[in-house]
Amino acid sequence: MTYPILQALNLTQHYGSTTGTRPTVALDGLSITIPRGQSLAVMGPSGSGKTTLLHALAGIEIPQSGEIYFHNANGPDPVHVMRPEARADLRLRHFGFVFQAGLMLDELTVVENVALPLMLCGVDRGSAHQSASAWLERLGLEGLEERRLGEISGGQAQRVAIARAQVCGPEVIFADEPTGALDSVTSAEVLTALLESTRERGATLVLVTHDHTVAEQCERTVHLRDGKIVGDTHAVGGGHGSATAGSSTHVHAETVRS
Ligand SMILES: Nc1ncnc2c1ncn2[C@@H]1O[C@H](COP(=O)(O)OP(=O)(O)OP(=O)(O)O)[C@@H](O)[C@H]1O
């Protein structure tokens, strides 16, 4: 039996109706349930609502109507009615983020960037740096700890972003086109690092992408069009495992209400 970690019910978000032009529909009554530990790819044409959905599920921007629940040990938490400070705390403690542009701080070193979320959660500097260094090593970045972001490659910077997203052990990783700015070889390497590090921790991944080869590495893919889910497919014998030798026989056989 699988348990949901995120649930969205009837999300609706329209833009631009005050200008006299036809409103843009970003989300149109969209509902989805995401089981704990699932890797989910969100695909669809430009403007179909992918980023808006990711922001809603992550409590970054709450849609005009609908409900969003984050399920934790105490039961479902209604994200859509939380105050902004409570949502910021939820994101800090339970979620990790990897975006196309790393959104890291240029004035900090690589290790300081990765240690920052831990220190924001109250971990002392020494322990935070130790954990950050361990994650950097795990992602093949040992030796780069003291460099500035301008002194590493785009692929390395995205691995740093993955280390920073994972370092607090979040239950959900949200990634929006994390490999969009990379060449195909680097992109595949970074994606494997993201999928493996998320899977090893049993965490959930919500990954927005335009790239079919990226989506194929996930256990489930939803396709959006005009703010609606128009396709919802589950990989059989593929998904996460296809990024890792030896696990391709895994059969994903759950039923998800969406
Ligand atoms: N702040 C905003 N103001 C007005 N319109 C917006 C705003 N944010 C998004 N939109 C519109 O909502 C629709 C959905 O946007 P969204 O960014 O979610 O799409 P997307 O599928 O992620 O697109 P892309 O693949 O191009 O990133 C688009 O038509 C977009 O122009």
Side-chain angles (χ1 to χ4, degrees), residues 15 24-26 44-53 177 208 210:
Y15 288 109
T24 300
V25 180
S46 184
S48 58
K50 303 181 295 296
T51 296
T52 307
L53 174 61
E177 294 282 356
V208 167
H210 280 110

Side-chain angles (χ1 to χ4, degrees), residues 174-245:
F174 292 96
D176 195 348
E177 294 282 356
T179 59
L182 304 175
D183 66 75
S184 58
V185 173
T186 312
S187 166
E189 288 170 1
V190 167
L191 178 72
T192 301
L194 176 62
L195 287 164
E196 285 186 351
S197 56
T198 306
R199 188 190 63 239
E200 281 163 13
R201 297 193 306 98
T204 306
L205 177 67
V206 180
L207 170 67
V208 167
T209 183
H210 280 110
D211 187 336
H212 282 278
T213 59
V214 169
E216 279 165 10
Q217 312 275 345
C218 291
E219 292 168 322
R220 177 185 179 194
T221 301
V222 291
H223 286 266
L224 302 195
R225 184 175 291 274
D226 299 329
K228 286 191 173 83
I229 293 179
V230 294
D232 188 349
T233 54
H234 292 254
V236 175
H240 257 161
S242 49
T244 315

Side-chain angles (χ1 to χ4, degrees), residues 128-141:
H129 275 231
Q130 220 169 14
S131 302
S133 297
W135 264 106
L136 289 168
E137 190 177 335
R138 190 164 164 183
L139 288 163
L141 297 168

Side-chain angles (χ1 to χ4, degrees), residues 114-138:
V114 177
L116 189 61
L118 282 169
M119 291 166 69
L120 289 173
C121 285
V123 175
D124 68 83
R125 186 184 159 84
S127 307
H129 275 231
Q130 220 169 14
S131 302
S133 297
W135 264 106
L136 289 168
E137 190 177 335
R138 190 164 164 183

